[in-house]
């Protein structure tokens, strides 16, 4: 069991040919019991440069894996910073959502109506 300190999401859009675009990192607003309350763009100082680099690399790996599996379209991944044994750590991938999610419009530069699977 871990104690989440910061919950994050990152969204992307995968074309049929494997090209992908990643959005902006979002902070998920949750209750003390982990119930989703909302989402906002993460501020530049919320993640360390190492956390951001790890998250972006993980998102790129997810995009490649989804493409190799034949998937195309919207996707998102969840990540979090947590405390374990008094030390802060980072999990760059806790869940993959191969679909639109509640945070997609906040985290992705283009509105879904502007995206094409061409």
């Amino acid at each position: 069991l871990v104690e989440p300190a910061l919950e994050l999401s990152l969204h992307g859009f995968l074309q049929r040919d494997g090209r992908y675009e990643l959005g902006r990192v979002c902070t998920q607003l949750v209750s003390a019991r982990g119930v989703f309350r909302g989402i906002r763009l993460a501020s530049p100082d919320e993640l360390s440069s190492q956390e951001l680099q790890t998250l972006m690399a993980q998102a790129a790996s997810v995009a490649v894996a989804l493409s190799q599996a034949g998937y195309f379209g919207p996707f998102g991944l969840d990540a979090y910073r947590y405390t374990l044994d008094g030390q802060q750590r980072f999990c760059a991938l806790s869940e993959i959502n191969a679909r639109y999610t509640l945070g997609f419009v906040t985290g992705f530069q283009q509105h879904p109506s502007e995206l094409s699977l061409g």
Side-chain angles (χ1 to χ4, degrees), residues 87-118:
Q87 291 188 324
Q88 290 223 330
R89 301 177 188 198
F90 187 68
C91 175
L93 180 61
S94 62
E95 186 174 339
I96 297 171
N97 296 292
R99 58 181 169 78
Y100 285 113
T101 63
L102 291 172
F104 190 89
V105 173
T106 301
F108 202 72
Q109 292 87 334
Q110 294 174 272
H111 190 272
S113 64
E114 299 172 352
L115 298 171
S116 169
L117 293 171

Side-chain angles (χ1 to χ4, degrees), residues 47-58 81 90 92:
L47 282 87
S48 71
S49 59
Q50 181 62 44
E51 288 171 334
L52 181 59
Q53 183 179 25
T54 302
L55 180 58
M56 298 305 271
Q58 188 65 63
R81 182 185 301 137
F90 187 68

Side-chain angles (χ1 to χ4, degrees), residues 7-28:
E7 297 190 42
L8 305 161
S9 61
L10 179 59
H11 304 87
F13 195 81
L14 183 58
Q15 298 291 331
R16 290 178 197 260
D17 66 4
R19 288 179 296 124
Y20 64 89
E21 183 177 350
L22 298 176
R24 299 166 291 182
V25 178
C26 293
T27 298
Q28 296 188 31

